[in-house]
Amino acid sequence: MTKEELQLEKRLMDLANAAYEKGIVLYSDFLNLNERSIFESIRPKLSFVTCESFGGYKQAERQMVAFLPEAPVFCHFPFLCVQIAPLQAKFSEQLSHRDYLGAILNTGMERSRLGDILVEDKRAFVFVEERLADYLCQELGTVRHTPVRVQVAEEFPTDYEPQYKEITGTVASLRLDALLSLAFGSSRSSLTGLIAGGKVFVNGRLTTSNGYTPREGDLISVRGMGRFQYGSAGGQSKKGRSYVTVKRYI
């Protein structure tokens, strides 16, 4: 583990201990996939508290962890969903996730205070710590060259599912590296380094084995490239390759 990862582990343990000793609910920052994997690795040590994680919708990558004392208590995750939309949609640019993230960070906000950023057509939804929502609404006026209006969204469905592109093809095996190759259109050899390098997560858990075999329905994320869901496998080609369908999120 790196120094930063050890510090995160200690911080999560401290939050759990404080929640138990004081009998109150405490929350982590938004955790990325690697940080969530670290949390899952120490979860067996936290049996003295109840832990729940949430990021605004079922498939959120970045999530907060709530540490609840033994007695049942109400858990309200302290973040809001903020909508960013162009003042004049007709003249707005086609903005990317990177554009929105860069503009938000330029306001001085830290990445750990932000959850997922969901881009839909010419607007975006951002999950942000509740205490910083007004700050973001006031400070963010443009994204790249597009003037924007920022306001707290009235509601956001927790069953939201990002848009995806369905990809069907054949693979030599149902191993993780073969599924990555199909989903991202790259050779298996060019992707194996990502797995060994700790950049691939299956259902939020770090996976470093090229030979790992995901199960149908698993959500697979690659840092810096995106994510996809392993849909189904069925039937074989004349060359003995398996037909597979994946949903790559866009």
Side-chain angles (χ1 to χ4, degrees):
M1 271 192 171
T2 66
K3 180 180 178 180
E4 290 74 18
E5 290 171 338
L6 289 171
Q7 289 175 337
L8 172 65
E9 183 176 307
K10 181 180 184 303
R11 188 161 65 250
L12 294 174
M13 290 294 298
D14 288 345
L15 284 170
N17 285 319
Y20 176 74
E21 292 171 1
K22 298 178 181 180
I24 59 176
V25 184
L26 294 175
Y27 301 89
S28 71
D29 295 336
F30 282 102
L31 305 181
N32 62 29
L33 287 171
N34 187 50
E35 292 165 338
R36 285 175 57 194
S37 183
I38 292 171
F39 163 70
E40 291 296 338
S41 72
I42 65 170
R43 195 163 190 161
K45 302 177 184 178
L46 306 177
S47 57
F48 56 92
V49 293
T50 298
C51 300
E52 296 182 9
S53 58
F54 188 53
Y57 64 106
K58 289 193 299 184
Q59 296 186 7
E61 274 198 9
R62 299 177 63 84
Q63 298 186 11
M64 276 188 182
V65 177
F67 300 92
L68 297 87
E70 187 174 354
V73 293
F74 176 72
C75 178
H76 167 74
F77 283 87
F79 60 78
L80 294 173
C81 181
V82 170
Q83 177 182 284
I84 305 173
L87 289 177
Q88 294 182 303
K90 182 178 180 180
F91 302 106
S92 68
E93 305 165 90
Q94 191 64 43
L95 301 171
S96 68
H97 180 283
R98 180 176 295 182
D99 294 325
Y100 287 107
L101 177 58
I104 294 171
L105 295 182
N106 282 339
T107 67
M109 192 169 292
E110 297 178 4
R111 187 66 178 101
S112 61
R113 309 302 180 189
L114 303 168
D116 284 5
I117 299 174
L118 306 172
V119 180
E120 281 194 345
D121 192 20
K122 291 189 176 183
R123 64 178 180 172
F125 292 96
V126 185
F127 295 95
V128 59
E129 283 189 9
E130 193 169 24
R131 64 187 179 87
L132 295 173
D134 285 344
Y135 172 85
L136 182 60
C137 292
Q138 294 169 9
E139 296 297 319
L140 184 61
T142 59
V143 178
R144 211 160 69 181
H145 303 296
T146 299
V148 295
R149 177 185 295 106
V150 186
Q151 58 189 9
V152 174
E154 293 185 1
E155 60 180 357
F156 187 88
T158 57
D159 60 351
Y160 169 85
E161 184 173 333
Q163 296 178 334
Y164 63 84
K165 175 183 178 181
E166 192 167 89
I167 301 172
T168 300
T170 62
V171 294
S173 74
L174 300 178
R175 292 172 20 142
L176 180 58
D177 55 359
L179 294 178
L180 291 179
S181 177
L182 175 63
F184 295 110
S186 300
S187 66
R188 291 171 66 174
S189 59
S190 67
L191 295 168
T192 53
L194 296 174
I195 301 173
K199 294 189 176 182
V200 179
F201 300 81
V202 179
N203 297 327
R205 289 179 177 269
L206 177 65
T207 304
T208 56
S209 170
N210 292 320
Y212 177 81
T213 303
R215 294 176 295 182
E216 292 183 8
D218 279 353
L219 185 64
I220 300 167
S221 302
V222 183
R223 293 177 70 180
M225 295 188 69
R227 57 179 170 163
F228 66 93
Q229 185 177 40
Y230 174 23
S232 62
Q236 290 190 329
S237 68
K238 293 181 180 179
K239 296 183 178 181
R241 294 172 62 89
S242 299
Y243 286 101
V244 170
T245 298
V246 300
K247 298 177 180 179
R248 181 177 174 182
Y249 294 100
I250 54 179

